[in-house]
Amino acid sequence: MEMNLIMPLNSFITPTLSLVFITLLHIVMTTLPNATASSTVTTGRNETDHLALLAIKSKIVHDPQGVVSSWNESLHFCMWEGVACGRRHRRVITIHLPSRGLAGSLSPYVGNLSFLRVLNLSSNTLEGEIPPQLGHLFRLQILNLNNNSFEGEIPVNLSHCSNLRYLGVHDNKVVGKLSEEFGSLSQLTHLIIHGNHFAGKIPQFIGRLASLKYVSAASNHFTGSLPEALGQLKNLEVLAFGSNELSGTIHPSIYNLSLLTVLSLSGNHLHGTLSPSLGLMLPNLILLQLRGNKFTGPIPLSISNCTTLENLDLGENHFNGKLGTNFGGLQNLEDISLYMNNLGSGEPDEFSFIDSMANCSNLKALDLPANQFRGLLPDSVGNFSNQLSYLSLDVNFIHGKLPSAIGNLVNLEHLGLDNNRFTSTIPVTIGNLQNLQRAYLGINSFHGDIPESIGNLSLLTELYLGENRLLGNIPMSLGNCKKLLWLDLSQNNLSGTIPKQLWSISSLSISLNLSGNQLSGSLPSDVGHLKNLAELDISENWLSGEIPNSLASCTSLVNLYMEGNLFNGSISQSLSSLRGILNFDLSRNKLSGHIPRFLEHFSLKNLNLSFNNFEGEVPIEGVFANASAISVVGNIRLCGGIPKLQLPKCNVKESKKKKSSLMLILVISIVCTLLGVTMVVSFLFCWVKKKRNVQPSGILLRESFMKVSYEMLLKATDRFSSTNLIGVGSYGSVYKGILDPNETIVAVKVLNLQRRGASKSFMAECEALRNIRHRNLVKVITSCSSIDFQGNDFKALVYEFMINGSLESWLHPSLKSSNRENDQTHSLNLLQRINVAIDVLCALEYLQNHCQPPIIHCDLKPSNVLLDSDMVAHVGDFGLARFLQQLTNPNQSSSIAVKGTVGYAAPGKHCFSYTIHYCFFFIFIFFL
């Protein structure tokens, strides 16, 4: 018979049609050749089951194990895989096909298997609605549809299955409420509905299901409080309503369920205190799980009466007070989790409960972080079960030493002690924990060296020792920890170089954090071995040298922090391979060169290049287009960029291509032309000055020097106030002052006589200035040598104050001159630059040709050229000047060194002979 002719035999088909259908089947079977009477009778009894099974097969669209595809006519259906029949009537009583990878839906023809007692299709990928025809199976005892993708509501018709004992639909997509009709399932012992979308309140009818032993309804959307009716389920052994939206308190009636082995109400909004007699009324508890609620008060001491208890999970609540429970009698206890409460009293016997845990021979995990435990960790911590694999005491107030007995816990895999107040050294015995995988000892005050024995922990994957006071070198033995994924030694006082063994830990993939120490040396090329590393933080150390090209091999880097070191050189083009970086910080180093263009193509969230020596144009694409994502402050030679960066405009935009040879020729031609113009202008200027001279050059006009005392200079400089400090030299400091009675603005150089050679320098500089006496050349006012008010020698030189500061500040507008008293913009036009060059050349010519003995300046640079109010240039700072011996004594080669910071020589008149020698100076200031 063809499948498309099959119709379901259910209550919606009239008895007449059913009879016709059966009659037709009988006629067909009896007309088949060689058919026997016995086969005809058998067909009449079980062909319905045969056809129902074929209908179920037709709804399976994926059968990776070939289970239902083997259902064919070669075998009687009672012999099909996963199908069992009764011995007497040969009707299907069991379909057992769990975990077969079946996909599709459940055919409504399943309702025709009227003798079915067990239907187990759990752990497949069946979907669609649960067929309401299941309600016709009044013999059904077990319905297991767990771990599929069924949706919709549980059919109300299931309430007709009066023999149902096991109802399992956990981890599906079932919605709706539990219907009141289900209160008729008086034989039900297991209600397994967790991991769905049930909503509403827990129905009161649940109290009528007197046979219930197991209720698992976690991870749904039940609201309201725990109903009092639950207390009527005297046979209840498991009550699990975790991860719902329940509120209120635990109703006292629940404490009457003396057979309870599991009470799991975690992840709700329950509050109140626990009954002090909890352990006496629920003595058979194996699992007490109330995590993630709002319970307060102490943990009942009576829990010690729950001798079968294996798991105590009360974390994430507000339990407080002393943990006084005696755990000595709980020998089956495996897991204690009390994290994130307010437990702790500060009493001397704070940790007495640890002493009692020595008898917990099966204890595997003790989780107590984020509480208020204080005091010293007792040595009895080493008496825990040798099965202990997890110990966490993080985020408490434990102080003092870490007992060396911690080394007894040889099977420990997780040790959490961070964020406490330990003040001892890390015991060497930590090296005994050879099964340790995660060690968190950070945010304490551990001091001393990191023990070499830590290299014995070859299974370590995470080691956190950051934010302590550890000293000395990073132990080379850490290189033995070949499975490390995360290493944090930050914020300590570690010194020395980074051992090369550290760079050989190729397993490092989460983070290597060495920041905030005193590590020195270079970043070696071995860093390239960390190809899988996502974060490298070596900031705030004393590392130096160039950034190695091998860093480009660390292509998995997401965060790279190198700020606060002494790295120099440029950013290599090879780093363009680090395209996965999101956060890149190179600030506060000594890096130079141009900002590389390849950074425009990175998907950076933050880029910090501030306080380096970068120069040139700032890019404008990619991250550079977001002013909030980048920082380039403190790089005084940068220009361009987006307007929000407020950088000066670039005068000349560099071409993206190399300059052509034609451009090079043009530049050389311009330089030669300017050189010629300089020579001509210099000659004409000197010739005109000579003609206009109204005073014979041979006459030296002497000026009488002012007489000043220490008190006068003290008053003029406001007692040498730091606000008047305008410069610091090798042998002293220079202050701005105003001398009475003419209110002359002066620069006062005060010698630091504590410096070796300062007194000799003073005498030598006076000698030099004595030879520069022409009033158009020398701007020294006087010198002062006296005894100050403390009885110490005091020596100073007084010069005319140059209001327009140094040539350096005019050539580099971003530099602020401390001598300036106005806010005018620093800018020199072409004529001013030519005049400055001529003034300087004339001054140098005078020093070498018209001083006796001649003086060679030896330190000509823009910072030593000062400008007066008329923008006339004066050469200053004779710190490296030399006296030439008289030409009549050529055999003598000695010279007198004159060192100082302030001393001005104005332009002389005889300059042409030295124009060629110093014309390079004009070219220098012209192109700056």
Side-chain angles (χ1 to χ4, degrees):
M1 182 176 292
E2 296 294 328
M3 284 299 297
N4 58 2
L5 297 179
I6 297 177
M7 298 179 65
L9 299 178
N10 54 38
S11 59
F12 297 102
I13 300 178
T14 63
T16 303
L17 291 176
S18 299
L19 179 61
V20 171
F21 184 79
I22 294 173
T23 302
L24 289 174
L25 286 176
H26 177 71
I27 293 173
V28 172
M29 295 301 296
T30 56
T31 58
L32 291 174
N34 302 322
T36 63
S38 61
S39 65
T40 302
V41 174
T42 302
T43 299
R45 290 177 178 176
N46 57 23
E47 186 62 18
T48 301
D49 289 4
H50 180 205
L51 296 175
L53 290 174
L54 291 177
I56 292 173
K57 173 184 176 180
S58 70
K59 291 293 185 179
I60 303 301
V61 298
H62 186 59
D63 181 17
Q65 299 180 20
V67 178
V68 298
S69 61
S70 68
W71 292 3
N72 53 54
E73 302 303 327
S74 63
L75 292 173
H76 189 275
F77 65 81
C78 288
M79 301 180 67
W80 289 353
E81 185 174 356
V83 178
C85 297
R87 292 182 180 180
R88 183 174 59 84
H89 47 67
R90 306 294 288 168
R91 301 294 297 275
V92 175
I93 61 174
T94 299
I95 297 179
H96 186 75
L97 295 173
S99 304
R100 298 303 182 94
L102 301 176
S105 59
L106 179 57
S107 171
Y109 285 91
V110 69
N112 292 345
L113 301 173
S114 56
F115 280 77
L116 194 64
R117 297 179 183 178
V118 176
L119 177 59
N120 186 351
L121 299 174
S122 62
S123 300
N124 286 288
T125 54
L126 299 174
E127 56 188 14
E129 294 189 350
I130 300 172
Q133 288 80 3
L134 286 172
H136 301 168
L137 306 178
F138 64 91
R139 292 183 175 90
L140 192 63
Q141 297 178 10
I142 297 175
L143 176 58
N144 189 346
L145 303 178
N146 295 327
N147 197 20
N148 279 281
S149 297
F150 288 108
E151 55 192 24
E153 298 185 358
I154 295 180
V156 177
N157 284 358
L158 277 182
S159 62
H160 299 156
C161 302
S162 57
N163 290 301
L164 195 63
R165 297 180 181 179
Y166 182 101
L167 174 58
V169 294
H170 79 70
D171 291 304
N172 280 276
K173 301 176 182 179
V174 182
V175 299
K177 300 180 180 180
L178 293 176
S179 175
E180 283 287 337
E181 282 83 350
F182 293 146
S184 63
L185 301 177
S186 59
Q187 302 298 315
L188 195 64
T189 60
H190 288 71
L191 178 61
I192 316 297
I193 60 175
H194 62 264
N196 283 284
H197 303 288
F198 289 105
K201 294 183 178 181
I202 301 173
Q204 290 289 340
F205 75 79
I206 199 169
R208 302 200 301 270
L209 306 179
S211 299
L212 269 181
K213 295 182 178 180
Y214 199 113
V215 177
S216 179
S219 299
N220 280 287
H221 304 290
F222 288 111
T223 58
S225 60
L226 292 168
E228 181 181 0
L230 286 172
Q232 302 172 25
L233 305 177
K234 301 300 182 181
N235 295 311
L236 198 62
E237 297 177 7
V238 174
L239 178 61
F241 274 94
S243 298
N244 278 281
E245 299 171 22
L246 301 174
S247 57
T249 62
I250 296 179
H251 196 277
S253 64
I254 294 177
Y255 293 115
N256 295 328
L257 305 176
S258 59
L259 297 181
L260 271 183
T261 59
V262 173
L263 177 59
S264 177
L265 302 172
S266 62
N268 283 284
H269 307 292
L270 300 171
H271 63 271
T273 60
L274 300 182
S275 171
S277 57
L278 181 149
L280 299 173
M281 302 181 73
L282 304 175
N284 297 306
L285 283 177
I286 296 175
L287 168 64
L288 177 58
Q289 189 175 54
L290 304 177
R291 168 177 42 85
N293 282 283
K294 300 177 182 179
F295 290 111
T296 58
I299 294 177
L301 299 177
S302 62
I303 285 179
S304 61
N305 192 57
C306 302
T307 55
T308 59
L309 192 65
E310 295 179 4
N311 191 311
L312 178 62
D313 186 359
L314 305 179
E316 294 185 64
N317 279 284
H318 303 293
F319 290 114
N320 53 47
K322 183 179 181 180
L323 181 58
T325 306
N326 185 346
F327 295 95
L330 309 183
Q331 297 187 10
N332 295 319
L333 197 60
E334 296 181 1
D335 192 332
I336 302 175
S337 182
L338 304 177
Y339 68 97
M340 290 182 68
N341 280 285
N342 295 311
L343 296 169
S345 63
E347 298 179 11
D349 59 345
E350 179 81 274
F351 290 107
S352 60
F353 67 91
I354 288 182
D355 298 335
S356 69
M357 288 180 181
N359 294 329
C360 300
S361 56
N362 291 307
L363 189 63
K364 296 177 181 177
L366 178 59
D367 195 16
L368 304 177
N371 277 284
Q372 303 290 323
F373 292 117
R374 290 172 168 80
L376 300 171
L377 191 63
D379 289 336
S380 59
V381 71
N383 297 333
F384 283 131
S385 161
N386 58 11
Q387 295 190 47
L388 191 72
S389 62
Y390 189 99
L391 175 61
S392 178
L393 298 169
D394 311 275
V395 197
N396 280 285
F397 299 93
I398 307 171
H399 62 266
K401 71 172 185 177
L402 176 61
S404 59
I406 199 77
N408 297 340
L409 308 179
V410 292
N411 287 310
L412 204 62
E413 297 177 2
H414 178 106
L415 176 61
L417 301 174
D418 65 285
N419 215 327
N420 277 283
R421 298 178 180 178
F422 288 105
T423 54
S424 65
T425 59
I426 299 175
V428 177
T429 55
I430 198 171
N432 298 340
L433 309 180
Q434 296 190 21
N435 290 303
L436 198 62
Q437 298 176 22
R438 297 173 299 277
Y440 304 111
L441 282 75
I443 318 180
N444 280 285
S445 295
F446 285 113
H447 60 266
D449 293 344
I450 300 174
E452 287 283 343
S453 62
I454 208 163
N456 297 338
L457 310 181
S458 58
L459 298 181
L460 267 183
T461 59
E462 299 179 11
L463 176 59
Y464 178 34
L465 299 177
E467 298 186 58
N468 279 288
R469 300 177 182 176
L470 298 171
L471 301 169
N473 297 332
I474 299 174
M476 293 185 291
S477 62
L478 268 176
N480 299 330
C481 303
K482 298 297 185 182
K483 295 187 176 181
L484 271 176
L485 304 175
W486 178 35
L487 176 60
D488 191 333
L489 305 178
S490 64
Q491 307 301 319
N492 280 285
N493 296 310
L494 300 173
S495 57
T497 59
I498 303 173
K500 64 179 182 180
Q501 291 81 359
L502 206 60
W503 307 116
S504 67
I505 308 176
S506 58
S507 60
L508 281 168
S509 57
I510 298 176
S511 176
L512 173 59
N513 191 341
L514 306 176
S515 64
N517 283 285
Q518 300 170 18
L519 300 171
S520 58
S522 62
L523 186 62
S525 59
D526 294 337
V527 68
H529 296 159
L530 307 181
K531 300 181 186 298
N532 300 312
L533 188 63
E535 178 180 83
L536 175 61
D537 191 346
I538 53 176
S539 61
E540 309 301 339
N541 279 286
W542 295 345
L543 300 172
S544 58
E546 295 188 353
I547 300 175
N549 292 336
S550 60
L551 187 61
S553 300
C554 303
T555 53
S556 297
L557 278 174
V558 176
N559 300 316
L560 179 56
Y561 303 109
M562 305 177 70
E563 70 270 19
N565 280 285
L566 303 172
F567 290 114
N568 55 40
S570 60
I571 301 176
S572 171
Q573 186 69 25
S574 64
L575 298 187
S576 60
S577 62
L578 304 180
R579 299 184 65 88
I581 286 186
L582 297 180
N583 298 290
F584 194 10
D585 196 334
L586 291 172
S587 62
R588 292 180 288 115
N589 278 285
K590 296 184 177 181
L591 298 169
S592 58
H594 291 270
I595 297 176
R597 291 281 180 178
F598 65 75
L599 292 175
E600 289 181 304
H601 307 296
F602 284 16
S603 300
L604 287 164
K605 291 183 178 179
N606 293 287
L607 174 63
N608 194 344
L609 303 176
S610 60
F611 297 102
N612 279 283
N613 297 315
F614 292 114
E615 60 185 28
E617 186 175 10
V618 176
I620 59 174
E621 301 293 335
V623 68
F624 296 99
N626 184 359
S628 62
I630 63 169
S631 178
V632 293
V633 298
N635 292 276
I636 62 175
R637 293 181 177 87
L638 287 178
C639 62
I642 60 175
K644 287 186 178 180
L645 297 181
Q646 298 182 348
L647 295 174
K649 292 183 179 180
C650 297
N651 292 329
V652 179
K653 293 186 177 180
E654 295 183 356
S655 173
K656 295 181 179 180
K657 299 179 180 180
K658 293 183 178 179
K659 295 181 179 180
S660 64
S661 58
L662 181 61
M663 181 62 71
L664 182 59
I665 294 173
L666 179 61
V667 170
I668 294 175
S669 300
I670 293 174
V671 171
C672 293
T673 300
L674 291 174
L675 182 60
V677 171
T678 301
M679 295 174 62
V680 173
V681 170
S682 299
F683 172 79
L684 293 175
F685 181 84
C686 292
W687 182 79
V688 170
K689 286 192 70 174
K690 184 174 181 179
K691 287 292 184 181
R692 295 178 59 187
N693 185 27
V694 296
Q695 185 177 13
S697 60
I699 301 174
L700 295 179
L701 300 179
R702 299 179 180 268
E703 279 189 329
S704 59
F705 291 104
M706 293 179 60
K707 294 183 178 180
V708 296
S709 64
Y710 171 79
E711 289 76 10
M712 292 176 65
L713 294 181
L714 194 65
K715 180 180 179 182
T717 59
D718 193 17
R719 306 186 67 84
F720 299 105
S721 169
S722 60
T723 58
N724 289 327
L725 183 66
I726 58 175
V728 178
S730 300
Y731 293 118
S733 303
V734 182
Y735 296 86
K736 176 183 175 182
I738 301 177
L739 280 177
D740 290 334
N742 297 324
E743 296 187 352
T744 304
I745 302 177
V746 296
V748 182
K749 176 183 177 183
V750 180
L751 274 294
N752 180 5
L753 299 180
Q754 301 299 319
R755 295 295 299 270
R756 185 177 181 181
S759 181
K760 183 178 179 181
S761 173
F762 174 75
M763 297 303 298
E765 191 162 6
C766 288
E767 180 64 25
L769 295 174
R770 187 178 298 116
N771 286 274
I772 306 174
R773 296 187 299 274
H774 197 284
R775 62 184 181 185
N776 292 328
L777 302 178
V778 180
K779 298 298 181 181
V780 63
I781 295 176
T782 188
S783 63
C784 177
S785 180
S786 64
I787 304 298
D788 68 11
F789 68 95
Q790 295 178 338
N792 300 316
D793 288 339
F794 173 82
K795 298 183 185 300
L797 290 166
V798 184
Y799 306 95
E800 181 183 12
F801 180 71
M802 292 293 170
I803 192 170
N804 276 316
S806 70
L807 177 62
E808 176 78 13
S809 65
W810 287 83
L811 295 177
H812 300 287
S814 59
L815 296 177
K816 300 292 185 181
S817 174
S818 60
N819 293 339
R820 300 188 66 241
E821 293 182 336
N822 54 60
D823 297 325
Q824 69 180 27
T825 302
H826 273 65
S827 178
L828 291 175
N829 56 38
L830 177 60
L831 180 59
Q832 288 175 320
R833 291 172 186 249
I834 293 174
N835 285 334
V836 168
I838 293 173
D839 290 344
V840 171
L841 296 177
C842 292
L844 294 175
E845 193 273 339
Y846 171 79
L847 288 173
Q848 296 181 21
N849 287 345
H850 301 279
C851 289
Q852 296 299 326
I855 297 175
I856 304 299
H857 188 275
C858 298
D859 192 21
L860 181 62
K861 56 185 178 181
S863 60
N864 289 339
V865 176
L866 297 146
L867 304 173
D868 63 17
S869 59
D870 296 323
M871 296 300 290
V872 175
H874 302 257
V875 175
D877 193 346
F878 291 84
L880 298 178
R882 296 291 189 273
F883 283 111
L884 293 181
Q885 296 299 320
Q886 296 294 335
L887 296 178
T888 57
N889 189 9
N891 295 327
Q892 294 186 12
S893 58
S894 63
S895 64
I896 301 173
V898 180
K899 297 181 180 179
T901 56
V902 183
Y904 310 133
K909 300 188 295 294
H910 307 287
C911 57
F912 177 70
S913 61
Y914 276 80
T915 298
I916 296 177
H917 292 87
Y918 295 102
C919 64
F920 75 90
F921 186 83
F922 167 76
I923 298 172
F924 175 67
I925 67 170
F926 180 85
F927 283 104
L928 280 177

